[in-house]
Amino acid sequence: MAVTTPLLVQKINSSAGIASGDIHDGILHILALPDGHTRDVMLGSALTGLLLRGPRLEEVEAALRAATALDRNGWDFHRPPPGMRFIGYTGSGKKTFKTINLSTAAALVAATGGAHVAKLGSCSASSKTGSRDFMDVVGARCDTVPHQKMVDITAEVGFGFFSIENRVPEFDRRYGGRFQAVHALSLGFPALLSPVTCAAYVYGLSHPAVGTSARLLSRLGLPDVTVINSSVGQVVQVDELLPGSTVRTCRISAGGEDLAFNDEVRRGAASMPQDLMSVAQHADPLENVAAAIRVLAGRDTSTARNAVALNAAVLLLMSGVVASVQAGIDTALAIIDAGAGIDTLHRFVRLTHGAPSQLGSLLRGIHPKAALASPGAKEIAPC
């Protein structure tokens, strides 16, 4: 049976604007095609093309609305306790330079400092260990915890993990595991999947278009959103803040951009030396997790601690715990050096009725104050 080519696939190659309705309907048309190579190629062409065309805010917004349309009616949402400010935290993934689990470690440090971080995550598609993989390795049992119970855990310990893998089963059936390079949906899709309503969000993006991403997420209903990115040269793009690199941030709150905040983050990153090898992912998944545990336990003398502190500082500031990025960095470094973050992780594992012995085993294998070991070969994500 011949497959009718959606008009969107033809329009992508033109420099002319595409009506939002045409993009929305075109994406849904592609997603409705039979499973197979034709649908995958068309979807990849459309999503990549929309990114390379600008990206243009209205066009990407239409694509995101289409991608969530298949599952949105089945979503449930939970709220934190009254007066408690939750920070949703996730990233696009698909980094061109793979790192240890910086974002998960940063979330735990920020939680130790008084923030309440709802870490949104999934298993890794292209790195050795995604945030969900990290939780499994340290012994947490997040899958068995209902969302409302996870909200209660977040309120108690300051950290909660919310898997977003099952949030969009219909979309994921057509999309999951097929695309490992950044595309139009990377500008915000994971940040829209939180099962808990948060007062603010931090979203890591492996692409320089942080302004477009922040404005997009603001238009889609996130009340206070910060998008972060780091790059080294023209090729290396990371969805976390890396000290000494070119960092980009954009915070949109109440519809306006906080330029002072953006400048603070850049100054904080510039004040720290660059050492990519200290945060490069390890070839062995277990060692990759152990590297982040080493930082949390205060047993890492490398500059990886600076990277964790810089990302934690943004969470602390967004939470209202500190008044400036520099104060957040100082607070985070003190927590890291005291090894207090590992206590927060221990509490979290116990509250999920997990296996603390797994975390204990990781800690026993780490020598006190050991410098970060050789990171091994960098994984190359296929495009």
Side-chain angles (χ1 to χ4, degrees):
M1 181 178 70
V3 175
T4 302
T5 302
L7 187 59
L8 173 60
V9 176
Q10 300 171 5
K11 289 185 174 182
I12 285 289
N13 293 320
S14 168
S15 60
I18 307 175
S20 296
D22 290 344
I23 291 175
H24 184 276
D25 294 346
I27 294 293
L28 289 179
H29 185 168
I30 293 171
L31 291 170
L33 292 173
D35 290 355
H37 179 73
T38 299
R39 187 188 64 198
D40 293 349
V41 170
M42 286 188 181
L43 186 58
S45 298
L47 296 181
T48 302
L50 289 172
L51 181 67
L52 295 177
R53 283 167 58 82
R56 305 180 188 185
L57 187 60
E58 292 78 9
E59 294 181 356
V60 178
E61 179 181 356
L64 280 168
R65 290 188 183 278
T68 59
L70 296 177
D71 299 281
R72 191 185 301 120
N73 290 338
W75 286 358
D76 59 341
F77 291 94
H78 301 269
R79 294 186 177 276
M84 188 168 288
R85 184 176 174 86
F86 274 23
I87 307 299
Y89 186 28
T90 189
S92 67
K94 303 177 176 66
K95 297 174 280 196
T96 53
F97 174 75
K98 311 300 181 185
T99 62
I100 62 175
N101 293 90
L102 292 177
S103 61
T104 304
L108 287 159
V109 169
T112 307
H116 291 87
V117 183
K119 184 70 174 72
L120 316 174
S122 62
C123 292
S124 177
S126 60
S127 294
K128 292 298 181 184
T129 51
S131 53
R132 162 66 188 281
D133 303 305
F134 180 97
M135 290 295 127
D136 290 345
V137 170
V138 301
R141 296 291 180 264
C142 301
D143 273 356
T144 64
V145 180
H147 285 156
Q148 185 54 55
K149 177 61 177 176
M150 189 62 76
V151 169
D152 297 338
I153 291 174
T154 309
E156 179 175 344
V157 77
F159 175 87
F161 181 82
F162 298 84
S163 176
I164 59 176
E165 287 182 295
N166 298 322
R167 196 70 166 155
V168 283
E170 283 302 314
F171 174 79
D172 194 56
R173 186 173 66 82
R174 300 156 173 83
Y175 168 89
R178 293 173 174 84
F179 303 96
Q180 303 206 14
V182 171
H183 51 68
L185 298 187
S186 304
L187 295 177
F189 189 66
L192 301 172
L193 305 184
S194 175
V196 57
T197 301
C198 298
Y201 295 81
V202 175
Y203 182 62
L205 177 63
S206 298
H207 190 277
V210 295
T212 300
S213 176
R215 286 187 285 274
L216 175 68
L217 291 171
S218 178
R219 286 174 57 147
L220 290 169
L222 303 194
D224 184 357
V225 58
T226 292
V227 180
I228 62 174
N229 162 267
S230 295
S231 66
V232 180
Q234 298 296 314
V235 177
V236 173
Q237 298 289 337
V238 179
D239 61 352
E240 297 141 338
L241 295 172
L242 298 183
S245 67
T246 299
V247 300
R248 302 173 183 87
T249 62
C250 183
R251 182 179 185 181
I252 304 289
S253 180
E257 185 173 354
D258 188 342
L259 298 176
F261 171 88
N262 300 340
D263 289 339
E264 272 195 80
V265 175
R266 284 192 288 269
R267 287 196 299 271
S271 70
M272 297 173 168
Q274 182 188 100
D275 182 5
L276 295 182
M277 294 307 291
S278 74
V279 297
Q281 86 170 357
H282 296 249
D284 175 59
L286 192 64
E287 176 55 24
N288 208 47
V289 172
I293 294 299
R294 189 178 293 116
V295 176
L296 288 171
R299 301 179 185 178
D300 190 334
T301 58
S302 80
T303 55
R305 60 190 283 279
N306 290 337
V308 173
L310 180 60
N311 288 276
V314 172
L315 296 170
L316 289 166
L317 182 57
M318 295 282 286
S319 300
V321 175
V322 297
S324 68
V325 171
Q326 188 56 55
I329 292 172
D330 295 341
T331 298
L333 286 174
I335 291 169
I336 290 169
D337 290 344
I342 206 70
D343 296 330
T344 300
L345 181 55
H346 267 298
R347 290 179 62 200
F348 177 76
V349 172
R350 288 196 297 269
L351 287 171
T352 65
H353 301 290
S357 59
Q358 289 182 219
L359 180 55
S361 178
L362 281 170
L363 286 167
R364 284 192 294 274
I366 297 172
H367 298 294
K369 294 297 181 183
L372 193 64
S374 170
K378 186 182 78 173
E379 180 184 359
I380 304 299
C383 293

